[in-house]
Amino acid sequence: MMKLLYLIFTFILISCSIKNKKEQENIAHKIYENEFFLINSNVDGVTEVTLNRINKKFVNAKVLEGNSNCPDTSLDNIVLKNNYFTIEKYNCTDKYYLKEYITFKFDKDLLLHKYSIEFTDRYDPDRSIPDKIYTSKDFGNIKFENVTREFLINLLNK
């Protein structure tokens, strides 16, 4: 009897796992669009930006990556305004939960325009911590394809 219950339970777990995997595979790309950009962000973390007016595509598979020790590295939103867009995402370090704002601008090329971070202390969430803001004056001309987790960590540690 116990063996039969074990087999039924195992079958249910495997069935649920297969169903969840198929549902994840069928999730459509999240699409953001304005007159300048069409942005697809899929479940694998690949972000594709198409410039509507000239039909040029930029792809970055690393901009949404988070720190491996972080429980939440999810994309929150992508906000578009004219020839700018901002990726809003969650991340963390050993000491802080982060809300990152990664802003890009198209002007002859798709470049990093600004990187802002809001901090919340993991152990004292009510503690006030000043935001950090970096602009192209701090990091120069960085192409969209070259913005990675490692680049942002190095910028944060400057």
Side-chain angles (χ1 to χ4, degrees):
M1 180 69 174
M2 289 299 286
K3 196 172 196 179
L4 180 61
L5 288 174
Y6 175 77
L7 288 173
I8 292 171
F9 180 71
T10 304
F11 176 76
I12 291 170
L13 284 177
I14 291 171
S15 298
C16 289
S17 176
I18 291 170
K19 181 181 176 190
N20 286 339
K21 185 174 182 177
K22 285 183 180 180
E23 286 174 0
Q24 285 180 344
E25 289 171 359
N26 291 330
I27 294 173
H29 295 289
K30 179 74 176 176
I31 297 175
Y32 305 86
E33 185 173 13
N34 70 1
E35 66 276 8
F36 285 92
F37 303 109
L38 173 72
I39 302 174
N40 289 332
S41 178
N42 70 26
V43 294
D44 294 324
V46 176
T47 303
E48 295 179 352
V49 178
T50 303
L51 297 171
N52 289 333
R53 293 184 177 168
I54 59 174
N55 200 28
K56 184 173 181 183
K57 187 182 282 191
F58 301 88
V59 178
N60 187 325
K62 300 201 177 249
V63 71
L64 295 179
E65 285 183 351
N67 296 330
S68 59
N69 66 342
C70 191
D72 184 5
T73 60
S74 62
L75 171 67
D76 184 31
N77 197 15
I78 296 179
V79 178
L80 300 101
K81 184 174 182 182
N82 299 323
N83 60 326
Y84 295 84
F85 69 90
T86 300
I87 296 171
E88 300 176 0
K89 65 183 281 292
Y90 297 104
N91 204 351
C92 63
T93 66
D94 292 339
K95 296 180 182 179
Y96 304 105
Y97 293 111
L98 310 174
K99 176 76 182 267
E100 298 176 296
Y101 300 87
I102 310 165
T103 302
F104 295 91
K105 176 183 180 182
F106 180 77
D107 185 21
K108 298 180 184 169
D109 206 350
L110 188 56
L111 301 174
L112 180 61
H113 177 69
K114 184 167 66 170
Y115 176 53
S116 318
I117 311 103
E118 295 174 356
F119 297 87
T120 302
D121 190 304
R122 285 180 121 168
Y123 306 101
D124 184 6
D126 295 326
R127 183 175 143 212
S128 179
I129 304 167
D131 298 345
K132 286 194 177 181
I133 300 172
Y134 302 95
T135 67
S136 56
K137 293 177 184 176
D138 299 307
F139 47 74
N141 290 332
I142 307 297
K143 292 184 176 190
F144 172 75
E145 303 86 17
N146 297 328
V147 177
T148 63
R149 181 186 75 188
E150 291 79 18
F151 170 80
L152 296 174
I153 289 170
N154 289 336
L155 190 58
L156 181 60
N157 290 328
K158 269 188 165 182

